[in-house]
Amino acid sequence: MVVCIDPENPGKLMISVEAYDRRVAGVISGAGGVKTGMLMSQSGSIADGKQPVALTGRVYVKADASFGAILPGDLLTTSDTPGHAMKVTDHARARGAILGKAMSSLKEGQGMVLVLVSLQ
């Protein structure tokens, strides 16, 4: 799932809930058999989280193609579907809200897409 910085709780993340959210922080890691490569946290501090979050690298993300079919190479951002990514169609709104690039396709509906996470 796509997560964003929680404005009400410093150091915490929340499931994304709106399209083109500039608070996008990454993707909860571990779906589709892709294991977390490196875990960075500090137990007992504000940097301690319950779920590993991919800030960079390749992971599967929940995606919604209702806003446009997703093809490899498409830029992805947050969507209005909670926790899901979608294809960027409005590049002006996407500035600062880009999650990464799709590495697999999703023609319609909701499903999993392999993404190269590269926050921008």
Side-chain angles (χ1 to χ4, degrees):
M1 298 184 90
V2 180
V3 292
C4 292
I5 295 166
D6 184 343
E8 302 299 321
N9 297 292
K12 302 290 184 186
L13 300 174
M14 59 185 257
I15 301 301
S16 65
V17 294
E18 66 183 68
Y20 298 98
D21 192 339
R22 292 181 320 196
R23 296 172 299 170
V24 65
V27 177
I28 294 178
S29 171
V34 178
K35 295 182 181 185
T36 303
M38 179 172 57
L39 187 59
M40 295 173 21
S41 70
Q42 185 177 354
S43 188
S45 77
I46 202 165
D48 190 15
K50 293 181 180 167
Q51 302 291 331
V53 177
L55 308 174
T56 188
R58 292 173 294 208
V59 294
Y60 280 96
V61 66
K62 287 186 172 186
D64 191 342
S66 303
F67 309 99
I70 299 170
L71 301 172
D74 284 342
L75 293 174
L76 299 179
T77 187
T78 59
S79 82
D80 288 328
T81 306
H84 287 63
M86 70 175 188
K87 175 182 181 171
V88 169
T89 57
D90 184 339
H91 291 274
R93 285 183 68 197
R95 185 172 179 169
I98 294 173
L99 176 63
K101 281 193 175 191
M103 296 183 77
S104 64
S105 299
L106 181 62
K107 304 272 188 209
E108 58 187 24
Q110 296 177 358
M112 300 295 276
V113 170
L114 186 62
V115 59
L116 178 59
V117 179
S118 177
L119 299 170
Q120 301 173 31

